[in-house]
Amino acid sequence: MVDSLDLSYNNFTGKLHKELASLRYINLSYNSFNFSQDKDMKSQQLDYCFFRKESLIGCSTPNFTSCQVFQQTSPQTSKTTSLLVIALPIACIILFTIPAIILCARSIKSRKIEERTAKNGDLFSIWNYDGKIAFEDIIEATQDFDIRYCIGTGAYGSVYRAQLPSGKVVALKKLHQMESQNPSFDKSFQNEVKMLSQIVHRNIVKLHGFCLHNRCMFLVYEYMERGSLFYALRMDDEAEKLSWSQRVNIIIGTANALAYMHHDCSPAIVHRDVTSSNILLNSELHAVVSDFGTARLLDPDSSNQTLQVGTYGYLAPELAYTMRVTEKCDVYSFGVVALETLMGRHPKELILSLLDSSNNKNMMVKDLLDSRTRIPLCHRDTEAIIQVVKLALACLHSNPMLRPSMQQVVHELSSFKQLSLPFPFSEITIHQLIA
């Protein structure tokens, strides 16, 4: 059976029977078939096709507009038409129903969140953050605080890395169960983080907000790529990358943060847990002080100053008998962290030796420095190291009244350029730096 026909370039005239419309391919271009429907053809419309003139010039397949009657009677065309009659309404129903279902689901979800908010109080609060975060986003991002997302654990909680739907990465500090289930802690904690969220300082970690929930309580912080100073000092490959100037800058950044808290905030804020674990580093080794969920406003009349907090090895010695937290407790902890940053390890042996001056008479400064970093040769580095060690030892004074303030520490660290060493760096002892 013929299913194609090429009659092009024959200058044929007359009419074309409609059955030719059933051919798979037909070329009638450059002929003179009737291209208009006149009065005589109307009676024969069911038997013949007519064409527009332009459809027979340079067109391989003419437009069989007048042959629709014939095509509708074709079994294949009839089947296709039937499918269209069924499919189009179904497609329309799906097209309009799915958006309605989505909108309805979002509305239900929103109502559920509002109901939980009313039941649990302030469910989720965010300040200074671009974009809405839902409690469910946090749970999903951490798979309900799965251990795989945990990047650190401290005295008051564990820290998790969470990537939100927007792509933003944040750090979540989830308080331990004992803290989160203490009803008396909720109100003071909420008021405290609201105040801390308003602090803007380049060396204080950005607090985006917090969550109070009957299941858990957590803080939402900016994420610091390099982790904690503690981690950087304990990992050999990380410690080797820390130059002396970078270590000094980390110490200066920590001092700036504490000075701001003690002297520029009203009322003053005492951190109470200054450790290398609570100093975080970003990708450029810029240092920020973190873990403000445990900080307390310095109110002399407040009984919460007697609550012992802190980390063993960083606590000021007077806390053993006074149980009273002051700014000078932070100063002592800073001294420990400063020496730890230069030594690459906790300075517990050095601190013990300070109790007996005879033990440190011949202790050389150069011998205390982290051996994983080459001995400093640059004069600027040696001056800075001596200045930091001298200030750190002053901060570790057993009498809190004789310790410098953090404001004084910052001033001294910013003016170390004028320092002139009385002896070559390799000959300076710890004893010579003790005031």
Side-chain angles (χ1 to χ4, degrees):
M1 182 179 177
V2 177
D3 62 348
S4 63
L5 181 64
D6 189 347
L7 300 176
S8 60
Y9 293 92
N10 286 301
N11 201 25
F12 287 148
T13 60
K15 295 175 289 186
L16 196 65
H17 201 277
K18 68 180 182 181
E19 288 184 354
L20 292 177
S22 63
L23 294 176
R24 182 177 61 83
Y25 170 80
I26 183 170
N27 189 347
L28 304 177
S29 57
Y30 296 97
N31 287 293
S32 300
F33 293 110
N34 287 350
F35 53 82
S36 62
Q37 187 179 16
D38 52 28
K39 295 181 181 179
D40 295 335
M41 289 187 62
K42 286 184 179 179
S43 60
Q44 302 174 344
Q45 183 176 350
L46 296 178
D47 297 320
Y48 297 93
C49 297
F50 66 91
F51 309 96
R52 293 189 300 274
K53 184 175 182 179
E54 61 269 21
S55 70
L56 298 179
I57 299 177
C59 178
S60 61
T61 304
N63 183 10
F64 283 83
T65 306
S66 67
C67 300
Q68 292 179 356
V69 175
F70 173 80
Q71 292 171 350
Q72 289 174 353
T73 60
S74 164
Q76 184 66 29
T77 304
S78 178
K79 183 179 179 181
T80 303
T81 304
S82 300
L83 290 175
L84 286 174
V85 170
I86 296 173
L88 282 175
I90 294 175
C92 291
I93 292 173
I94 293 174
L95 185 64
F96 290 103
T97 302
I98 290 178
I101 293 174
I102 294 174
L103 290 174
C104 183
R106 288 181 178 176
S107 177
I108 292 173
K109 180 179 179 180
S110 177
R111 283 199 300 270
K112 286 182 178 179
I113 292 175
E114 290 175 359
E115 290 172 0
R116 286 198 299 269
T117 302
K119 179 180 178 181
N120 300 314
D122 192 359
L123 175 66
F124 200 80
S125 298
I126 296 292
W127 305 277
N128 305 321
Y129 192 80
D130 51 345
K132 183 179 180 182
I133 309 175
F135 177 77
E136 287 78 5
D137 292 334
I138 297 295
I139 298 301
E140 182 178 354
T142 60
Q143 294 188 22
D144 202 6
F145 294 99
D146 189 277
I147 188 65
R148 290 176 295 173
Y149 298 91
C150 184
I151 57 176
T153 301
Y156 302 98
S158 299
V159 181
Y160 296 81
R161 181 186 184 276
Q163 184 170 7
L164 302 174
S166 64
K168 178 77 173 181
V169 178
V170 295
L172 305 171
K173 184 173 182 62
K174 180 177 179 290
L175 298 187
H176 294 317
Q177 201 72 13
M178 180 182 66
E179 300 281 0
S180 62
Q181 291 184 348
N182 185 353
S184 63
F185 187 72
D186 286 1
K187 188 61 178 178
S188 61
F189 173 78
Q190 183 176 354
N191 291 338
E192 192 167 299
V193 294
K194 280 185 178 180
M195 187 280 298
L196 290 172
S197 68
Q198 299 171 5
I199 291 179
V200 179
H201 191 279
R202 64 189 305 268
N203 295 113
I204 294 178
V205 69
K206 182 75 170 179
L207 177 66
H208 294 313
F210 74 101
C211 173
L212 290 176
H213 193 270
N214 56 2
R215 284 175 52 194
C216 60
M217 183 185 298
F218 58 84
L219 300 160
V220 184
Y221 288 113
E222 67 175 316
Y223 179 69
M224 306 298 286
E225 296 86 352
R226 298 292 287 268
S228 68
L229 175 62
F230 177 87
Y231 170 82
L233 295 175
R234 295 308 181 274
M235 304 298 292
D236 289 343
D237 56 339
E238 292 291 326
E240 291 171 0
K241 298 175 185 176
L242 288 176
S243 66
W244 295 114
S245 60
Q246 288 172 332
R247 293 178 190 237
V248 170
N249 285 336
I250 290 171
I251 293 169
I252 293 174
T254 304
N256 284 330
L258 294 175
Y260 174 83
M261 293 169 60
H262 293 177
H263 303 283
D264 296 326
C265 293
S266 182
I269 302 173
V270 180
H271 189 285
R272 309 203 307 172
D273 195 22
V274 179
T275 68
S276 58
S277 296
N278 290 333
I279 297 171
L280 305 180
L281 309 174
N282 67 4
S283 58
E284 299 176 351
L285 294 175
H286 172 78
V288 297
V289 176
S290 70
D291 203 0
F292 284 90
T294 58
R296 286 292 181 272
L297 308 183
L298 187 59
D299 182 359
D301 299 324
S302 176
S303 61
N304 67 7
Q305 296 303 313
T306 62
L307 179 64
Q308 184 173 355
V309 295
T311 302
Y312 180 76
Y314 299 86
L315 293 173
E318 65 269 17
L319 288 175
Y321 52 87
T322 65
M323 294 292 290
R324 184 173 179 81
V325 180
T326 67
E327 300 105 314
K328 292 304 178 72
C329 296
D330 280 353
V331 173
Y332 182 92
S333 300
F334 167 80
V336 178
V337 171
L339 290 177
E340 182 180 359
T341 305
L342 295 179
M343 297 171 63
R345 63 189 185 278
H346 191 281
K348 53 185 177 181
E349 292 86 359
L350 175 59
I351 294 174
L352 290 174
S353 71
L354 296 177
L355 300 176
D356 185 357
S357 59
S358 61
N359 291 336
N360 54 57
K361 275 191 175 183
N362 299 319
M363 190 179 296
M364 311 300 293
V365 171
K366 67 179 181 64
D367 295 332
L368 294 177
L369 301 182
D370 192 344
S371 60
R372 294 169 296 182
T373 301
R374 288 192 303 175
I375 195 73
L377 300 176
C378 172
H379 186 64
R380 179 181 176 85
D381 285 344
T382 55
E383 284 184 339
I385 290 171
I386 293 300
Q387 186 75 318
V388 168
V389 173
K390 184 177 181 179
L391 286 169
L393 294 173
C395 292
L396 294 175
H397 201 289
S398 57
N399 185 348
M401 300 299 295
L402 298 180
R403 295 172 197 156
S405 68
M406 289 309 305
Q407 201 170 49
Q408 291 173 321
V409 170
V410 169
H411 175 73
E412 293 295 327
L413 286 175
S414 63
S415 61
F416 72 83
K417 294 178 182 178
Q418 286 77 37
L419 179 68
S420 58
L421 301 180
F423 305 100
F425 177 73
S426 60
E427 299 178 9
I428 297 178
T429 66
I430 293 294
H431 183 72
Q432 291 171 328
L433 300 180
I434 297 176

